[in-house]
Amino acid sequence: MTEIEKISSEQLILEAAEQEFLTKGYDGARTISIAQKAGVTHAMLHYYYRTKRQLFECILAKTISTVKETMLAAMGDPDMPLVERLKDGIASHFDHMVANPLLPRFFLNEIISRPELYSLLYERVASFIREFFADLQSEADAAAERGEIEKIDIPMLIISIMSLNIFPFVAYHFIEPVMGTIIADREIFLEERKAENIELIMRRIIKH
Amino acid sequence: MTEIEKISSEQLILEAAEQEFLTKGYDGARTISIAQKAGVTHAMLHYYYRTKRQLFECILAKTISTVKETMLAAMGDPDMPLVERLKDGIASHFDHMVANPLLPRFFLNEIISRPELYSLLYERVASFIREFFADLQSEADAAAERGEIEKIDIPMLIISIMSLNIFPFVAYHFIEPVMGTIIADREIFLEERKAENIELIMRRIIKH
DNA sequence: ATTATCTATAGATCTATAGATAATGC
DNA sequence: ATTATCTATAGATCTATAGATAATGC
């Protein structure tokens, strides 16, 4: 067999499952559809992953590690000056959204709205998020003290950044037709949107 | 019977269905759960609404009219000066979110991700949204001409406002633990959040 | 006489498994 | 000998309906 044909059924099922779960959610996903997409019989799915739930958890694990990478990227470089660091973090975070446009909706629906899953995730990231916030806040306080920026509340600022960066991907289907020709080219729109988000946050913190 | 007991089964089912569909979505909703919540036998649900789908469409109609009201409120008073009008519109929109916190997620998931439902809704609101945008844009251009505000692109500004106002409700369960004590009191947080969103948009358009 | 409600069950749809058969790696 | 795959079907879960019975408004 050539290398190209060598993609295992196990892998094909995983990829099909990712697409199915990310677009339809756990409840809406069908194991039969996954098997069809993967081009294998339905029984194979159970052979490799036993249950729909276990297959879902494999996808879940993938998304959680992607989200962690995104969070890390969004933290920017601690050695940069605060304002540059923020610009950089916002841009990186936005780029991660572009690379994984289906993740936000999936994540908000399947993890956050299920207390058992969410508390599990939360335990893993809580401490390092708190550290990150404390770090940023002290830098922000120092910069404000020096008169470089407005006095800002970091948690509030982060919520603003997340709102601006994530919402367009959760609501893209809504935005697209309403905005009309402005969104004719998705790539151009996303570049403009990224710049706009940075502009908004910069104007919020720069002294006037 | 007293007035209090007089709530019809038909109405009880509708209310239970609203809660079920809004929290679990169409796929996750169970007609049995709805009947249990309503305190009637399962057969009653089919007696009044025939199918799960038809019951869902009743709820859908309610949410669509609520969303329309929200949009109208968000447009603010056309007779006000632009800056005041925007402040007012943002605040009204946010208040509508507070009053209907489950709607954004439901709307984004159940309507926007289903092309057939979305195109139906879109046809109804497209024209009056376009009018609204054109109106705002010409006012914004005039104000920019007079040097009162920055030159702004209205569709982009609206996306920013929607992102900021809607995201906290889609992601509240995520925000709550991450932000920790800041969100100890939901009402206070939401008031602060509303003020912050207005501040962000104002700083974006005011000349510096 | 019409409307509302209940019990019991059919029907439809998915997930999961059993058991036989084919393919593969030592 | 183990791993992969297929067919056929069991099992579980929901939605929907049939048909009998009770409540209600003229």
Side-chain angles (χ1 to χ4, degrees):
Chain A
M1 288 194 196
T2 69
E3 277 299 307
I4 293 164
E5 294 173 88
K6 198 85 178 74
I7 303 163
S8 67
S9 295
E10 189 170 2
Q11 184 63 20
L12 285 169
I13 292 168
L14 201 68
E15 285 166 16
E18 179 166 353
Q19 201 205 323
E20 179 84 356
F21 284 128
L22 259 63
T23 53
K24 301 192 186 162
Y26 184 80
D27 292 327
R30 293 289 169 258
T31 53
I32 281 184
S33 306
I34 294 172
Q36 280 173 349
K37 269 183 214 163
V40 301
T41 62
H42 183 212
M44 294 308 296
L45 187 148
H46 293 281
Y47 175 70
Y48 284 115
Y49 299 97
R50 265 200 80 71
T51 67
K52 178 186 182 183
R53 187 75 210 170
Q54 280 188 36
L55 180 53
F56 178 73
E57 314 240 318
C58 292
I59 304 303
L60 209 56
K62 280 181 72 173
T63 69
I64 287 178
S65 70
T66 305
V67 168
K68 276 189 192 163
E69 282 170 34
T70 301
M71 281 176 160
L72 269 172
M75 287 181 183
D77 179 356
D79 296 330
M80 279 181 173
L82 183 66
V83 170
E84 295 309 309
R85 182 183 178 186
L86 278 174
K87 277 188 195 175
D88 203 57
I90 296 168
S92 297
H93 183 261
F94 194 91
D95 290 340
H96 275 247
M97 296 299 117
V98 175
N100 305 283
L102 294 176
L103 261 188
R105 176 194 303 271
F106 177 80
F107 198 76
L108 290 173
N109 282 323
E110 303 295 326
I111 301 190
I112 289 173
S113 60
R114 327 237 160 175
E116 73 285 4
L117 283 179
Y118 186 56
S119 57
L120 193 136
L121 169 75
Y122 176 57
E123 279 162 28
R124 290 200 206 163
V125 296
S127 67
F128 100 113
I129 281 195
R130 254 192 260 286
E131 244 177 77
F132 169 61
F133 276 34
D135 178 28
L136 270 191
Q137 187 69 63
S138 68
E139 284 210 42
D141 290 346
E145 196 72 31
R146 293 193 300 272
E148 291 167 19
I149 60 169
E150 293 278 344
K151 188 158 174 24
I152 51 175
D153 181 61
I154 287 293
M156 274 295 187
L157 193 75
I158 302 275
I159 295 178
S160 301
I161 293 170
M162 286 179 52
S163 300
L164 292 165
N165 271 0
I166 296 174
F167 185 79
F169 297 91
V170 179
Y172 189 79
H173 291 295
F174 173 70
I175 290 174
E176 194 180 23
V178 171
M179 298 298 137
T181 106
I182 287 111
I183 294 199
D185 188 325
R186 181 181 162 102
E187 272 184 50
I188 292 174
F189 167 71
L190 291 178
E191 275 306 308
E192 285 177 5
R193 203 52 236 173
K194 178 165 68 173
E196 178 68 21
N197 290 350
I198 293 172
E199 179 75 15
L200 266 153
I201 297 302
M202 286 302 116
R203 281 173 173 261
R204 177 64 184 86
I205 67 177
I206 260 80
K207 265 213 179 285
H208 60 178
Chain B
M1 288 194 195
T2 69
E3 277 300 307
I4 294 164
E5 293 173 88
K6 200 81 176 72
I7 303 162
S8 67
S9 294
E10 188 171 1
Q11 183 63 21
L12 284 169
I13 293 169
L14 201 67
E15 284 166 15
E18 180 166 352
Q19 202 206 322
E20 180 85 356
F21 283 128
L22 259 63
T23 54
K24 302 190 184 161
Y26 183 80
D27 292 327
R30 293 289 168 258
T31 53
I32 281 185
S33 306
I34 293 172
Q36 279 172 351
K37 268 184 217 163
V40 301
T41 60
H42 182 212
M44 293 308 295
L45 188 149
H46 292 281
Y47 175 70
Y48 284 114
Y49 299 96
R50 264 200 80 71
T51 67
K52 179 185 181 184
R53 188 74 210 173
Q54 280 188 36
L55 179 53
F56 178 73
E57 313 241 318
C58 293
I59 304 303
L60 208 57
K62 279 181 72 173
T63 70
I64 287 178
S65 69
T66 305
V67 167
K68 276 189 192 164
E69 281 170 34
T70 301
M71 282 176 160
L72 268 173
M75 288 181 183
D77 180 357
D79 295 332
M80 280 183 173
L82 182 65
V83 170
E84 294 310 309
R85 182 183 177 185
L86 278 174
K87 278 189 193 174
D88 204 56
I90 296 168
S92 297
H93 182 260
F94 194 90
D95 290 340
H96 274 247
M97 297 297 117
V98 175
N100 305 284
L102 296 176
L103 261 190
R105 176 194 304 273
F106 177 79
F107 198 75
L108 291 174
N109 282 324
E110 304 295 327
I111 300 191
I112 289 172
S113 59
R114 326 233 161 181
E116 73 286 4
L117 282 179
Y118 186 56
S119 56
L120 193 137
L121 169 74
Y122 176 58
E123 280 163 25
R124 289 199 206 163
V125 296
S127 67
F128 99 113
I129 281 193
R130 253 192 259 286
E131 243 177 78
F132 169 61
F133 276 32
D135 178 29
L136 269 192
Q137 188 68 64
S138 69
E139 285 210 39
D141 291 345
E145 197 73 27
R146 292 191 301 271
E148 292 167 18
I149 61 169
E150 294 278 343
K151 187 155 172 29
I152 51 176
D153 181 61
I154 287 294
M156 274 295 187
L157 193 75
I158 302 274
I159 295 179
S160 302
I161 294 170
M162 286 180 52
S163 299
L164 292 165
N165 271 1
I166 295 175
F167 184 80
F169 296 91
V170 178
Y172 190 79
H173 291 297
F174 173 71
I175 290 175
E176 193 180 23
V178 171
M179 298 297 137
T181 105
I182 287 110
I183 294 201
D185 187 323
R186 181 181 163 101
E187 272 184 50
I188 292 173
F189 166 71
L190 291 179
E191 276 304 311
E192 287 177 3
R193 203 51 236 174
K194 178 164 69 174
E196 178 66 22
N197 290 350
I198 293 171
E199 180 74 16
L200 267 154
I201 298 302
M202 286 303 116
R203 280 173 172 262
R204 177 64 184 86
I205 67 175
I206 259 81
K207 268 213 177 279
H208 61 177

